[in-house]
């Protein structure tokens, strides 16, 4: 009787039959009666989607801890509301060329809160497959539901992300013991950055909670928005910390021990923020950027960023509601700021424009 056996066991004889490694994963054999599934090829240093536990083992937490400039990347849209992946790829390439070492995909800046989970995981996987060899991909898979956060993180790691970003449960807030239980549950999935931004969650993550979860080997660090004194509390204890406030990141890095920044403004001027994080103290450059930082956050992020990128011509002027563009006087002010800092320092090649109200598209259904 003719039966099948493993192709891998016959590789040593393949040259005599003129077989290549792309030959079918079986041969005929008249003695063996048991079929054995072929083993998948293992290709070192290739960024491929894997099972979550394989990615967890492959991803080095220390690699995440060393990142100095992580950009919370913007998500651009087409007129029908779908992702504009061509513009998105260009934005990520601008970050790579500008010296960013990581991107947060689908964070607050990237409007993960306006995405379905299918969109969310697709964009993480797309970023991994296109850029995972050049930049660390950190997927925002946080949720106020522990079940959803675990499931999204499992999917994110399965498509290859290097680390997860997790916020504390918002709106339906929990106790301090609940915070610890939530973070311990998601930390089991793989390398994780915890994000503390009470202005959005209405609940601070206090130091004793962070000190507790810091014992978990999968904690890469914390994105902290509660100021430099809080950052120093963590860095003094050896907890890796990134500033979550662009207007504080220079001092956070060079005076309070922060490893770097998770930045919004680097979407616009990545090379200048790279200088702030890599080249030592530079108060004059920091002061030069301060008007842009203040302009960017007069309204809740990402309203200012979306408006600015549209005026720079690198994304279409399309907003998913409830976000709407800044009014025309603020758009004029942005053009003046660009002229003062220098157009060459900003992303894109087109001249900065003052867009009319009619140039913008606001989408309520997409």
């Amino acid at each position: 009787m003719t039966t099948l056996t493993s192709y891998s066991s016959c590789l040593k004889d393949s040259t005599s039959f003129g077989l290549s490694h792309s030959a079918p994963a079986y041969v005929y054999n008249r003695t063996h009666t048991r079929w054995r599934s072929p083993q998948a090829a293992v290709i070192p240093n290739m960024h491929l989607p894997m099972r979550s536990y394989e990615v967890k083992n492959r991803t080095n937490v220390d690699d995440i801890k060393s990142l100095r400039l992580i950009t919370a990347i913007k998500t651009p849209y087409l007129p029908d509301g779908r992702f504009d992946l061509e513009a998105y790829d260009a934005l990520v390439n601008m970050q790579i060329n500008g010296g960013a070492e990581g991107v947060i995909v689908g964070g607050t800046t990237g409007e993960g809160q306006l995405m379905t989970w299918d969109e969310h995981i697709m964009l993480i996987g797309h970023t991994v497959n296109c850029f995972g060899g050049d930049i660390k991909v950190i997927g925002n898979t946080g949720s106020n539901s522990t079940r959803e956060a675990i499931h999204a993180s499992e999917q994110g790691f399965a498509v290859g992300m290097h680390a997860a970003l997790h916020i504390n449960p918002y709106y339906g807030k929990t106790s301090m013991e609940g915070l610890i239980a939530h973070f311990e549950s998601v930390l089991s999935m793989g390398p994780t950055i915890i994000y503390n931004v009470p202005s959005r969650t209405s609940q601070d993550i206090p130091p004793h909670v962070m000190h507790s979860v810091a014992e978990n080997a999968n904690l890469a660090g914390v994105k902290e928005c509660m100021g430099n004194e809080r950052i120093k509390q963590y860095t003094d204890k050896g907890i890796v910390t990134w500033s979550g406030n662009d207007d504080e990141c220079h001092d956070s890095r060079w005076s309070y021990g922060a490893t770097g920044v998770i930045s919004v403004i680097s979407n616009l001027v990545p090379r200048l923020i790279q200088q702030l994080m890599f080249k030592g103290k530079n108060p004059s450059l920091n002061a030069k950027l301060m008007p842009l930082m203040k302009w960017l956050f007069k309204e809740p992020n990402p309203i200012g960023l979306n408006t600015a990128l549209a005026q720079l011509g690198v994304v279409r002027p399309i907003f998913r509601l409830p976000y709407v563009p800044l009014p025309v006087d603020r758009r004029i002010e942005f053009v003046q700021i660009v002229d003062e800092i220098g157009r060459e320092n900003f992303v894109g090649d087109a001249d900065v424009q003052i867009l009319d109200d009619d140039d913008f598209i606001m989408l309520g259904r997409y």
Side-chain angles (χ1 to χ4, degrees), residues 4-8 10-11 14 19-28 35 38:
L4 302 177
T5 190
S6 170
Y7 170 65
S8 60
C10 301
L11 283 177
S14 63
L19 298 175
S20 70
H21 289 286
S22 61
Y26 57 84
V27 295
Y28 290 102
W35 162 252

Side-chain angles (χ1 to χ4, degrees), residues 141-188:
T141 53
S143 172
N144 58 355
S145 161
T146 304
R147 175 185 60 84
E148 281 194 11
I150 291 171
H151 184 61
S153 298
E154 183 177 43
Q155 290 185 317
F157 282 116
V159 299
M161 69 182 184
H162 295 97
L165 180 74
H166 281 283
I167 202 164
N168 50 310
Y170 47 89
Y171 183 67
K173 298 184 292 186
T174 185
S175 63
M176 295 300 102
E177 292 77 10
L179 281 183
I180 293 171
H182 176 82
F183 287 134
E184 286 180 345
S185 296
V186 296
L187 278 162
S188 67

Side-chain angles (χ1 to χ4, degrees), residues 71-73 75 88 103-107 110 112 115 120 123-125 127-128 137-141:
T71 297
I73 194 75
T75 306
Y88 177 81
V103 288
I104 303 289
V105 178
M115 297 178 188
H120 216 130
L123 191 61
I124 293 171
T127 310
V128 167
V137 178
I138 302 156
N140 171 31
T141 53

Side-chain angles (χ1 to χ4, degrees), residues 230-275:
R230 177 71 64 84
I231 286 173
K232 190 172 188 305
Q233 282 184 270
Y234 292 147
T235 57
D236 284 349
K237 296 287 187 180
I239 299 173
V240 171
T241 310
W242 293 272
S243 174
N245 299 325
D246 280 309
D247 59 348
E248 296 178 340
C249 70
H250 173 268
D251 293 345
S252 300
R253 172 84 169 104
W254 302 111
S255 300
Y256 293 89
T259 296
V261 63
I262 297 179
S263 176
V264 177
I265 194 175
S266 57
N267 279 277
L268 300 174
V269 287
R271 289 186 183 88
L272 298 185
I273 304 302
Q274 194 265 359
Q275 289 181 40

Side-chain angles (χ1 to χ4, degrees), residues 60-315:
N60 190 330
V61 175
D62 290 337
D63 288 343
I64 305 300
K65 290 181 177 181
S66 67
L67 303 178
R68 290 158 288 185
L69 174 54
I70 303 170
T71 297
I73 194 75
K74 151 75 177 167
T75 306
Y77 304 112
L78 294 168
D80 62 3
R82 291 178 298 127
F83 297 157
D84 185 347
L85 292 179
E86 183 178 354
Y88 177 81
D89 291 351
L91 288 175
V92 178
N93 272 315
M94 291 172 195
Q95 293 304 310
I96 293 170
N97 294 334
E101 299 171 303
V103 288
I104 303 289
V105 178
T108 307
T109 304
E111 301 180 13
Q113 62 274 12
L114 304 186
M115 297 178 188
T116 66
W117 278 118
D118 284 346
E119 288 179 315
H120 216 130
I121 300 302
M122 180 277 285
L123 191 61
I124 293 171
H126 172 82
T127 310
V128 167
N129 289 332
C130 293
F131 307 104
D134 298 315
I135 199 166
K136 297 299 182 187
V137 178
I138 302 156
N140 171 31
T141 53
S143 172
N144 58 355
S145 161
T146 304
R147 175 185 60 84
E148 281 194 11
I150 291 171
H151 184 61
S153 298
E154 183 177 43
Q155 290 185 317
F157 282 116
V159 299
M161 69 182 184
H162 295 97
L165 180 74
H166 281 283
I167 202 164
N168 50 310
Y170 47 89
Y171 183 67
K173 298 184 292 186
T174 185
S175 63
M176 295 300 102
E177 292 77 10
L179 281 183
I180 293 171
H182 176 82
F183 287 134
E184 286 180 345
S185 296
V186 296
L187 278 162
S188 67
M189 306 306 300
T192 297
I193 297 172
I194 289 176
Y195 180 17
N196 185 34
V197 55
S199 64
R200 292 187 181 270
T201 65
S202 297
Q203 184 181 51
D204 182 28
I205 304 173
H208 79 269
V209 170
M210 283 305 307
H211 292 154
S212 177
V213 299
E215 298 174 7
N216 192 300
N218 278 335
L219 181 72
V222 57
K223 176 186 177 182
E224 183 55 68
C225 295
M226 283 295 286
N228 287 331
E229 293 301 328
R230 177 71 64 84
I231 286 173
K232 190 172 188 305
Q233 282 184 270
Y234 292 147
T235 57
D236 284 349
K237 296 287 187 180
I239 299 173
V240 171
T241 310
W242 293 272
S243 174
N245 299 325
D246 280 309
D247 59 348
E248 296 178 340
C249 70
H250 173 268
D251 293 345
S252 300
R253 172 84 169 104
W254 302 111
S255 300
Y256 293 89
T259 296
V261 63
I262 297 179
S263 176
V264 177
I265 194 175
S266 57
N267 279 277
L268 300 174
V269 287
R271 289 186 183 88
L272 298 185
I273 304 302
Q274 194 265 359
Q275 289 181 40
L276 282 186
M277 293 298 102
F278 285 70
K279 305 295 185 181
K281 287 187 176 182
N282 194 337
S284 62
L285 176 58
N286 190 52
K288 182 178 181 179
L289 291 172
M290 201 58 64
L292 176 61
M293 295 178 184
K294 292 183 182 300
W295 179 91
L296 202 57
F297 297 106
K298 282 184 180 177
E299 297 290 348
N301 180 50
I303 294 169
L305 177 66
N306 292 354
T307 305
L309 288 171
Q311 290 189 246
L312 291 168
V314 294
V315 303

